[in-house]
Amino acid sequence: RKEVEQDPGPFNVPEGATVAFNCTYSNSASQSFFWYRQDCRKEPKLLMSVYSSGNEDGRFTAQLNRASQYISLLIRDSKLSDSATYLCAVNRGGRGSTLGRLYFGRGTQLTVWP
Amino acid sequence: ETGVTQTPRHLVMGMTNKKSLKCEQHLGHNAMYWYKQSAKKPLELMFVYNFKEQTENNSVPSRFSPECPNSSHLFLHLHTLQPEDSALYLCASSPTGTGVDTQYFGPGTRLTVL
């Protein structure tokens, strides 16, 4: 089983729509969770860290469900500029040399059309 | 943003060439990483350095040789590469190598092996 699984999409939504992405992880000891945004042919950039209680940043809401081992990203009132690939990343947790390792999903492609 | 810089941005090399990729971070971080991103695949961690010490080698072929002379600089030496090594090579840094903090990526080197 892969460490992190993500629906690759693509998601094609009109401007103003609400869209949600999920990402599941396999290691219950995982401690840190992140959403990154990657534009075409660019590097990933941190969008949000995901906290246990859930967190919101403007139109973006991230949630963590430890029982079901998934994180989610909700985008409200989508803008054309939200078109990108969204990557989830999960820290493996536990002991040893893999402590510093982030596992990334394949990314979910989002296209927002006018 | 110039927190993490990478040179060159594009590289075309033959299978018998030797080249080096350079990464520099200006964020005062102690951990640095090399990732490989191929089309349609998730980010693959290659190497982790924490306080200049290599803490992880993710089963990378010996034709890739990392070097970390100090906490701010990271190199990836390339020799006798294969066409399947063509990819985007991303450098990242984080405050610590524990995995609980955010990783910041450089713009990447797009490598083509002929």
Side-chain angles (χ1 to χ4, degrees):
Chain A
R1 184 182 173 187
K2 292 181 183 177
E3 292 279 348
V4 179
E5 300 254 25
Q6 217 181 331
D7 181 352
F11 284 63
N12 297 304
V13 303
E15 267 188 298
T18 295
V19 61
F21 309 133
N22 281 340
C23 176
T24 60
Y25 60 94
S26 61
N27 191 313
S28 60
S30 296
Q31 301 170 0
S32 301
F33 309 87
F34 307 92
W35 282 103
Y36 282 80
R37 170 193 169 128
Q38 186 171 24
D39 292 293
C40 186
R41 303 184 75 81
K42 297 286 185 72
E43 74 273 25
K45 293 188 177 179
L46 179 70
L47 180 65
M48 299 175 74
S49 300
V50 186
Y51 303 120
S52 297
S53 56
N55 47 300
E56 187 174 310
D57 182 3
R59 298 182 292 108
F60 299 85
T61 300
Q63 290 194 313
L64 166 65
N65 185 317
R66 285 194 183 273
S68 301
Q69 295 183 202
Y70 74 85
I71 61 173
S72 63
L73 177 68
L74 182 76
I75 306 176
R76 291 182 299 277
D77 188 22
S78 299
K79 310 292 184 190
L80 296 178
S81 56
D82 294 334
S83 298
T85 297
Y86 292 84
L87 306 170
C88 63
V90 177
N91 145 264
R92 188 173 189 175
R95 297 177 181 273
S97 64
T98 59
L99 187 62
R101 183 169 183 171
L102 276 185
Y103 288 81
F104 284 84
R106 293 179 60 182
T108 299
Q109 186 180 341
L110 171 67
T111 301
V112 181
W113 45 274
Chain B
E1 294 181 14
T2 57
V4 182
T5 58
Q6 287 186 245
T7 55
R9 296 292 305 275
H10 301 271
L11 179 61
V12 179
M13 59 187 290
M15 292 167 61
T16 58
N17 291 158
K18 290 185 179 181
K19 297 287 184 183
S20 295
L21 310 185
K22 179 183 176 182
C23 176
E24 185 174 358
Q25 59 96 0
H26 309 273
L27 301 169
H29 291 169
N30 293 310
M32 297 187 77
Y33 311 79
W34 278 117
Y35 286 88
K36 175 183 178 182
Q37 189 174 37
S38 305
K40 308 294 185 185
K41 288 187 176 181
L43 279 166
E44 300 172 53
L45 180 67
M46 300 175 73
F47 302 104
V48 181
Y49 277 83
N50 201 15
F51 291 96
K52 302 188 301 176
E53 299 298 320
Q54 187 181 125
T55 57
E56 185 153 352
N57 175 338
N58 192 27
S59 302
V60 180
S62 59
R63 58 185 183 269
F64 296 91
S65 175
E67 178 190 0
C68 188
N70 54 60
S71 294
S72 300
H73 293 85
L74 186 64
F75 295 90
L76 188 63
H77 304 300
L78 316 172
H79 64 97
T80 58
L81 294 192
Q82 305 297 313
E84 60 264 28
D85 296 323
S86 299
L88 180 66
Y89 288 84
L90 290 158
C91 172
S93 72
S94 65
T96 71
T98 61
V100 298
D101 43 27
T102 306
Q103 293 183 17
Y104 296 88
F105 287 86
T109 295
R110 190 160 295 280
L111 174 67
T112 302
V113 181
L114 302 177

